[in-house]
Amino acid sequence: MILTVTLNAALDITYHVPRLQPHTTHRVGEVVERPGGKGLNVARVLAALGHDTVATGLVGGRTGEALRAHLAAAAPGVVDALVPVGGETRRTIAVVDGESGDATMFNEPGPTVSAQEWAHFQDAYRELLIDAHVVALCGSLPPGLPVGSYAELVRTARSAGVHVLLDTSGEPLRRGIAARPDVIKPNAEELARLTGLTEPLRAAHEARRRGAYAVVASNGPQGLLAVTDEGTWRAAPPARFEGNPTGAGDAAVAGLLSALVEGLPWPERLARAAALSAATVLAPAAGEFDGAAYERLLPQIDTLP
Amino acid sequence: MILTVTLNAALDITYHVPRLQPHTTHRVGEVVERPGGKGLNVARVLAALGHDTVATGLVGGRTGEALRAHLAAAAPGVVDALVPVGGETRRTIAVVDGESGDATMFNEPGPTVSAQEWAHFQDAYRELLIDAHVVALCGSLPPGLPVGSYAELVRTARSAGVHVLLDTSGEPLRRGIAARPDVIKPNAEELARLTGLTEPLRAAHEARRRGAYAVVASNGPQGLLAVTDEGTWRAAPPARFEGNPTGAGDAAVAGLLSALVEGLPWPERLARAAALSAATVLAPAAGEFDGAAYERLLPQIDTLP
């Protein structure tokens, strides 16, 4: 099975308002809630592709309960192995302006996790790794967790012989890379911040030098760049798509993992990731992917060395 | 005891952000939750003044559970007689900008209440009226309730011989007045909208003509105007106060009810309402009142015929 880890899961709430006007009162017409956090998004896409998928991470409080109920309803194929904590799972509020279609985001910080809760999670994680072929470690860290937490989880996975993909940013990414993950999937901006190099190919080589076995960098509509010990490839969709990029990066992670467990070579992994990513931008609901668009786009992805 | 009714209770959530910038992502530093809805605010002030207070209304879902937990913690003196519904209690989000101190509000609509739930609430309400000296009907109506719902509750209270105060706005206020409440407490703007008259004294007389036995109109820092069958009075605080006006109107309602059950005459009821209102503006936390300020201000309120 494929394991995804979401340490700072969220309940994503979307408010639709006619027009956002600071310092006024808005009556919200429609309230939409969905399970959020990058690892949960990855798990939903994997389950939709038909993979055995287990989602772990940390959840707590009433918001955590709401998140689990939404996850069970929206992604019944995902096995919920989330670990409870005493704090309250964070909410993210996206206020979507009917005039411009733009979103204004308010992200709560998330629960403060104690050392004991972290030790308890690591026990659960070790158990789950026994049946895992691959694990994806995704998103930000909640308050209270040491910045080296992902590095610990990378080391545990590698000791257990489980292939590990790390998708985070900032200092947790920097520390995580030093623990030698099999794949990292930064976007071009995160990669530049990590390495100080703005040219993606040079930056990817630098990230490999620092410990990542493979680097898959996403660069919005320009597609994906993979720098691996087997070679370098670029995968780009046939056209630029208009749509909502929310979750496109998570769909790419799901594509990489899905193709990996099927034993496909790098160019096909990358093509699947790029097609799923584009099919997510095209889907009407944020974070979903359009299955028909995925099937249509997959053979159209140009994967070049 | 004093009964308060909050048909569209809310979980009030406050986010503090350094600066609100539309169409960007904000990390929320601090999340504050409190029970909201005008009737619950009134109940909190009454309990703080030492009155036997019962809060009823409608609550539902996980947000409703959170609201009840916060109410029990913040106002242990208030007896929770809220009636469950199947829908989800609304949230209100206040985004407070650290630069200007101004709040931007997002108010969810609230649960859709079925005819059966409304009938069930009315049964509970009739039971609660048996021990009530006075009842306050406060705030907006949730979706699904007929616009004449407050009028029904006014009639039920009057049939039971219970003194009834109505504090709502728009069409529910217009219909409610026709059912002959003992007191209405609009602000100057609501009173003008109701009557089409901008001069508060004339507008208050018009509202009495339409059915209200007494009208107490609040006009921000200018204080309160009462037009009753015993006479007309104005109560104003000794100075203009800087502070947060959230809950000042609800504190005034609590002052009127509290003085009424103590058998005080109109001028003293009005003075208490004005002092509590000013002491709420002065309190550091939104919707609380500053007890020392209340004691100090009460003898300073000018109540003039």
Side-chain angles (χ1 to χ4, degrees):
Chain A
M1 65 71 174
I2 305 177
L3 180 64
T4 76
V5 174
T6 314
L7 294 177
N8 207 5
L11 181 67
D12 287 345
I13 302 170
T14 304
Y15 288 163
H16 291 272
V17 300
R19 182 155 162 260
L20 174 61
Q21 287 187 281
H23 312 145
T24 69
T25 295
H26 304 77
R27 277 169 197 266
V28 175
E30 195 196 355
V31 180
V32 180
E33 294 189 353
R34 63 188 298 280
K38 292 166 84 75
L40 294 180
N41 296 342
V42 172
R44 286 180 71 175
V45 176
L46 286 168
L49 292 170
H51 288 279
D52 264 2
T53 311
V54 176
T56 189
L58 304 170
V59 280
R62 286 190 183 82
T63 306
E65 284 169 30
L67 182 154
R68 295 181 98 150
H70 282 292
L71 182 64
V78 174
V79 175
D80 174 350
L82 292 159
V83 174
V85 291
E88 188 81 21
T89 289
R90 69 195 171 115
R91 289 170 285 225
T92 74
I93 311 268
V95 179
V96 177
D97 187 313
E99 226 164 65
S100 66
D102 285 342
T104 305
M105 300 287 308
F106 301 98
N107 296 341
E108 296 186 1
T112 298
V113 178
S114 71
Q116 195 182 353
E117 287 170 334
W118 177 234
H120 178 60
F121 171 78
Q122 286 176 294
D123 291 343
Y125 174 68
R126 264 187 292 269
E127 284 292 312
L128 289 166
L129 284 174
I130 294 168
D131 293 323
H133 288 85
V134 50
V135 58
L137 309 173
C138 303
S140 65
L141 295 175
L145 282 191
V147 74
S149 297
Y150 276 130
E152 283 187 69
L153 299 187
V154 168
R155 279 190 288 269
T156 308
R158 290 192 55 84
S159 306
V162 177
H163 195 96
V164 55
L165 181 150
L166 177 62
D167 183 10
T168 185
S169 60
E171 197 57 24
L173 174 60
R174 189 183 302 273
R175 301 283 192 102
I177 285 176
R180 313 224 65 194
D182 294 279
V183 188
I184 62 168
K185 199 223 62 62
N187 60 35
E189 197 187 316
E190 286 159 356
L191 189 60
R193 218 168 24 227
L194 175 76
T195 60
L197 302 168
T198 51
E199 202 285 300
L201 185 63
R202 285 185 57 206
H205 281 295
E206 171 62 18
R208 291 195 67 217
R209 199 191 60 75
R210 294 194 190 179
Y213 284 96
V215 177
V216 177
S218 57
N219 201 356
Q222 293 172 51
L224 302 170
L225 164 72
V227 180
T228 79
D229 53 5
E230 295 166 36
T232 296
W233 291 272
R234 289 173 201 274
R240 213 186 163 102
F241 300 110
E242 290 293 313
N244 188 335
T246 305
D250 304 328
V253 169
L256 293 174
L257 298 177
S258 153
L260 171 75
V261 297
E262 291 175 28
L264 300 179
W266 266 109
E268 289 181 46
R269 293 188 214 167
L270 212 57
R272 186 177 287 187
L276 278 170
S277 190
T280 300
V281 174
L282 287 171
E288 309 290 329
F289 76 95
D290 178 330
Y294 166 60
E295 298 291 346
R296 192 179 71 240
L297 286 167
L298 185 57
Q300 297 181 47
I301 302 287
D302 284 322
T303 310
L304 302 169
Chain B
M1 65 73 174
I2 304 177
L3 180 64
T4 76
V5 174
T6 314
L7 294 178
N8 207 6
L11 181 67
D12 287 345
I13 303 171
T14 304
Y15 288 163
H16 292 271
V17 300
R19 181 155 164 258
L20 174 61
Q21 288 188 280
H23 312 145
T24 68
T25 296
H26 304 77
R27 278 169 195 267
V28 174
E30 194 195 355
V31 180
V32 181
E33 293 189 355
R34 64 189 295 279
K38 292 165 84 75
L40 295 180
N41 296 341
V42 171
R44 286 180 69 174
V45 176
L46 286 168
L49 292 171
H51 288 278
D52 264 0
T53 311
V54 176
T56 188
L58 304 170
V59 280
R62 287 192 181 81
T63 307
E65 285 169 29
L67 181 154
R68 296 181 97 149
H70 282 293
L71 182 66
V78 174
V79 175
D80 175 350
L82 292 159
V83 175
V85 290
E88 189 81 21
T89 290
R90 70 196 170 116
R91 290 170 284 223
T92 75
I93 311 268
V95 179
V96 177
D97 186 315
E99 226 164 63
S100 67
D102 285 341
T104 305
M105 300 287 307
F106 301 97
N107 295 341
E108 296 185 3
T112 298
V113 179
S114 70
Q116 196 183 352
E117 287 169 335
W118 177 234
H120 179 59
F121 171 78
Q122 285 176 295
D123 291 343
Y125 174 68
R126 266 187 292 269
E127 283 292 311
L128 290 165
L129 284 174
I130 293 168
D131 292 324
H133 288 85
V134 50
V135 59
L137 310 174
C138 303
S140 65
L141 295 176
L145 281 190
V147 74
S149 297
Y150 276 130
E152 284 186 69
L153 299 186
V154 168
R155 278 189 290 268
T156 307
R158 290 191 56 84
S159 306
V162 177
H163 194 97
V164 54
L165 181 150
L166 177 62
D167 184 10
T168 185
S169 59
E171 196 57 24
L173 174 60
R174 188 183 302 271
R175 302 281 193 102
I177 285 176
R180 312 221 67 193
D182 294 279
V183 189
I184 62 168
K185 197 224 64 59
N187 61 35
E189 197 186 316
E190 286 158 356
L191 189 60
R193 214 163 30 222
L194 175 77
T195 59
L197 302 168
T198 52
E199 202 285 299
L201 186 62
R202 285 185 58 207
H205 280 295
E206 171 61 17
R208 290 196 67 217
R209 199 190 60 77
R210 295 193 189 180
Y213 283 95
V215 176
V216 178
S218 57
N219 201 357
Q222 293 173 51
L224 301 171
L225 163 71
V227 180
T228 79
D229 53 5
E230 294 167 36
T232 296
W233 291 271
R234 290 174 198 274
R240 212 185 163 102
F241 299 110
E242 290 293 314
N244 188 336
T246 304
D250 303 328
V253 169
L256 292 175
L257 299 177
S258 152
L260 170 75
V261 298
E262 291 174 30
L264 300 179
W266 266 109
E268 288 180 49
R269 292 187 215 169
L270 213 57
R272 187 177 287 188
L276 277 171
S277 191
T280 299
V281 174
L282 287 170
E288 309 289 329
F289 76 94
D290 178 330
Y294 166 61
E295 298 292 345
R296 192 178 71 241
L297 285 167
L298 186 58
Q300 296 182 49
I301 301 287
D302 284 322
T303 309
L304 302 169

